[in-house]
Amino acid sequence: MRVQAQVQGRDRPVQEEPEPRRGRPRSAAAERAILDAVVELLEAGEPLAALSIERIARTAGVGKATIYRRWSGKEELFVDVLRDMEPPEPVVSGTAGLADLRLLLESLRRRGLAQRSSALLHNVFAQMKSHPKLWAEYHCNVIAPRRIAMLAAVQRAVDAGELRADLDVGLMDDLFLGPMLVRTIHRPDAPLPEDLADRIVQVLVEGLAPRPAAGS
């Protein structure tokens, strides 16, 4: 995970590519410079609301057109900056049920740890929630796909006979997701042990009712 920006060579502009022809790959160096420039400005104390495309382009050593070829505006760019700062998305099988569910819950735990360990990341998320357009962009492009992936994993677990088929899939998804969200968001002092995802799945699959006494 990259939390601290590695910004070098700011005294020399990044060599921009000419206007790309259809199908031409984008410049990875320019894209990296733009993402790093946003982080550099945030680390310097610039609030999200004060960042402009002009300022970002100047810091990155590129032209505004280079940014607009990649992102339609600040909100879309900031979402990619956040994605770059957070732990990478997990690679799930797309065929397993509970196994994929555990991977997705573990990914949420790691993101919670990242926010706790990075003052910058925590600060950016706090600011983002006061900017409705940015929060909507993040929700649409990051949170919603994660929710869909979780629901799909729960449904696969139902189809595989790992979970009951007579319960609402959305409700079961909330039951799996809820404890991790409480620990990562609502209780920032709560422990996030490495086996937390496994424990959540185990408790919900086994149930909360007491087991019958032996011989009863």
Side-chain angles (χ1 to χ4, degrees):
M1 177 188 68
R2 186 189 61 81
V3 174
Q4 299 297 324
Q6 300 297 319
V7 182
Q8 298 178 345
R10 284 282 178 258
D11 56 331
R12 295 193 303 275
V14 174
Q15 183 176 359
E16 293 188 56
E17 75 276 22
E19 188 70 31
R21 293 189 293 270
R22 185 181 301 275
R24 179 173 179 167
R26 297 169 172 174
S27 166
E31 194 158 312
R32 180 75 266 157
I34 294 163
L35 295 173
D36 286 346
V38 176
V39 175
E40 179 186 3
L41 291 168
L42 291 170
E43 287 179 332
E46 292 286 343
L48 280 173
L51 293 184
S52 65
I53 294 296
E54 290 83 358
R55 180 80 182 278
I56 295 167
R58 187 165 61 250
T59 304
V62 301
K64 290 192 296 182
T66 301
I67 296 179
Y68 283 119
R69 279 198 293 270
R70 291 160 173 78
W71 298 279
S72 62
K74 290 198 303 182
E75 287 78 17
E76 188 177 336
L77 169 57
F78 291 160
V79 167
D80 277 354
V81 170
L82 282 168
R83 280 175 166 160
D84 196 53
M85 294 169 68
E86 289 186 304
E89 296 290 336
V91 179
V92 298
S93 71
T95 57
L98 290 182
D100 280 353
L101 187 59
R102 287 186 180 91
L103 286 175
L104 293 165
L105 288 173
E106 170 61 12
S107 176
L108 181 56
R109 186 188 73 89
R110 289 179 179 274
R111 289 196 298 274
L113 287 171
Q115 284 197 46
R116 291 184 184 186
S117 63
S118 168
L120 176 63
L121 193 56
H122 178 80
N123 183 41
V124 170
F125 269 100
Q127 292 186 64
M128 185 173 66
K129 291 177 182 178
S130 64
H131 294 76
K133 284 183 65 177
L134 177 55
W135 181 249
E137 184 79 19
Y138 185 79
H139 189 280
C140 179
N141 290 284
V142 180
I143 296 178
R146 290 171 181 167
R147 165 80 169 166
I148 291 170
M150 283 278 294
L151 283 167
V154 173
Q155 184 62 62
R156 290 195 296 272
V158 171
D159 295 340
E162 296 174 310
L163 296 173
R164 286 169 53 177
D166 61 326
L167 297 177
D168 179 71
V169 170
L171 176 59
M172 286 193 286
D173 178 66
D174 290 342
L175 291 171
F176 282 109
L177 188 58
M180 192 66 80
L181 287 178
V182 168
R183 290 284 186 100
T184 56
I185 297 176
H186 301 294
R187 291 179 55 200
D189 59 333
L192 295 173
E194 291 185 0
D195 64 343
L196 183 57
D198 288 331
R199 287 165 55 193
I200 290 172
V201 172
Q202 180 181 0
V203 166
L204 288 173
V205 170
E206 292 182 358
L208 298 175
R211 292 184 176 133
S216 62

